[in-house]
Amino acid sequence: YRATMILSHKHKFIYIKTYKTGSTSIETALSAVCGPDDVITEASEQLRGHRQQAAQNYRIEHPDKPVRPLVKRLLLRPEKHYHPSVGYYEHMPAWRIRAYCGEAIWNGYYKFTFERNPWDRQVSWYHYKTKNRSEQFKPSFSRFNRDAKRAYVENWDLYTMEGHGIVADFVGRYETLDADFACVLERIGLTGHVELPRVNVNKKRDDGREIAYRDYYSEADRTFVAERYAREIAHFGYSF
């Protein structure tokens, strides 16, 4: 599932959306209380079915906005809702949000995001990126990780900026999603007005138990994650 970033003028917050961190549930909850001037970015067909409010105000003109490649326009290729050329878009990095909304809004609004244990997150990412593959052609977890570009989860790059470090006012944790989301709601004055739905939950075994992420790991895969996501692990104190 894809979810969206939200910039709410009504409630003065910016939700920086990361990958595999309960974002579909968060976006579904927050979009329901957005005002007519708030930015809700476009999303996939799957996410639209959960929303109470459609995408809005995400198309903008800005000198820093990338231009859609001419060849795709000439070939009449469908515009991707997650491409930077649309304006605001899902999984948008902090530096671009700041450039588009301006310093006054960026500095005055409450900015938050969520993170997840990278070893757990990597397994969820693997299932997401291979969900359309049949079991016969689905790569193993270890083989998937060898594709450095495809296997990389760029969360750290979304809520940090060079020379500034983490720029979100609050980074909640997927592991304590309910409690941390409640903290966000209290901070933006929405306690009692928003309920966090359960959307896109983890896969379970036949007996109903959640699949343990540790079961996927060889020593090499464990080391791969430790090295690739050393910044998150060190900052948040995650362990395997």
Side-chain angles (χ1 to χ4, degrees):
Y1 291 79
R2 293 184 182 273
T4 67
M5 64 81 58
I6 295 176
L7 192 162
S8 175
H9 300 296
K10 180 178 180 180
H11 302 291
K12 292 182 168 49
F13 73 77
I14 298 173
Y15 170 45
I16 302 171
K17 206 208 81 60
T18 48
Y19 293 94
K20 313 313 296 179
T21 56
S23 55
T24 301
S25 297
I26 295 168
E27 189 274 343
T28 301
L30 293 175
S31 65
V33 295
C34 283
D37 298 323
D38 293 352
V39 175
I40 305 175
T41 58
E42 188 58 278
S44 66
E45 293 286 349
Q46 290 171 310
L47 178 57
R48 290 173 205 163
H50 297 289
R51 282 181 170 176
Q52 297 183 47
Q53 190 157 325
Q56 59 182 27
N57 306 320
Y58 63 92
R59 291 188 179 277
I60 63 166
E61 293 304 322
H62 191 278
D64 293 334
K65 189 179 79 168
V67 177
R68 189 164 180 247
L70 178 61
V71 64
K72 291 189 176 183
R73 285 180 282 154
L74 292 176
L75 293 174
L76 302 179
R77 295 281 178 84
E79 184 180 55
K80 301 294 186 181
H81 63 273
Y82 50 83
H83 194 275
S85 63
V86 302
Y88 287 100
Y89 60 96
E90 62 180 4
H91 303 302
M92 191 172 178
W95 67 266
R96 195 185 294 276
I97 297 173
R98 184 176 74 169
Y100 286 4
C101 72
E103 291 295 323
I105 289 175
W106 177 259
N107 293 325
Y109 285 19
Y110 185 67
K111 301 174 288 293
F112 66 94
T113 189
F114 279 78
E115 191 50 280
R116 182 176 183 174
N117 184 319
W119 285 281
D120 183 20
R121 189 185 66 196
Q122 192 68 16
V123 172
S124 182
W125 185 243
Y126 161 67
H127 284 297
Y128 170 70
K129 296 295 283 186
T130 61
K131 68 181 186 298
N132 294 324
R133 297 282 193 94
S134 65
E135 289 300 320
Q136 181 182 0
F137 297 104
K138 188 174 183 175
S140 67
F141 183 60
S142 294
R143 182 181 173 190
F144 171 78
N145 286 334
R146 290 200 293 270
D147 185 342
K149 183 177 180 180
R150 189 163 183 252
Y152 179 61
V153 184
E154 61 178 332
N155 284 4
W156 180 265
D157 305 311
L158 298 179
Y159 55 79
T160 62
M161 288 194 292
E162 188 174 353
H164 298 272
I166 293 176
V167 293
D169 298 307
F170 178 75
V171 181
R173 301 200 185 204
Y174 176 83
E175 294 78 18
T176 51
L177 180 61
D178 289 320
D180 287 356
F181 188 62
C183 291
V184 168
L185 295 181
E186 182 177 5
R187 179 61 181 79
I188 61 180
L190 288 174
T191 298
H193 298 279
V194 175
E195 182 177 347
L196 191 65
R198 288 302 177 209
V199 180
N200 196 22
V201 297
N202 290 338
K203 292 187 176 182
K204 296 181 181 295
R205 300 179 188 277
D206 292 336
D207 60 7
R209 293 182 301 159
E210 287 190 1
I211 300 173
Y213 69 83
R214 297 179 189 85
D215 294 346
Y216 287 79
Y217 280 88
S218 66
E219 190 61 38
D221 291 321
R222 184 173 171 176
T223 301
F224 162 81
V225 168
E227 294 175 348
R228 198 74 190 273
Y229 306 113
R231 296 171 297 182
E232 296 100 306
I233 292 168
H235 184 87
F236 296 106
Y238 281 120
S239 65
F240 181 70

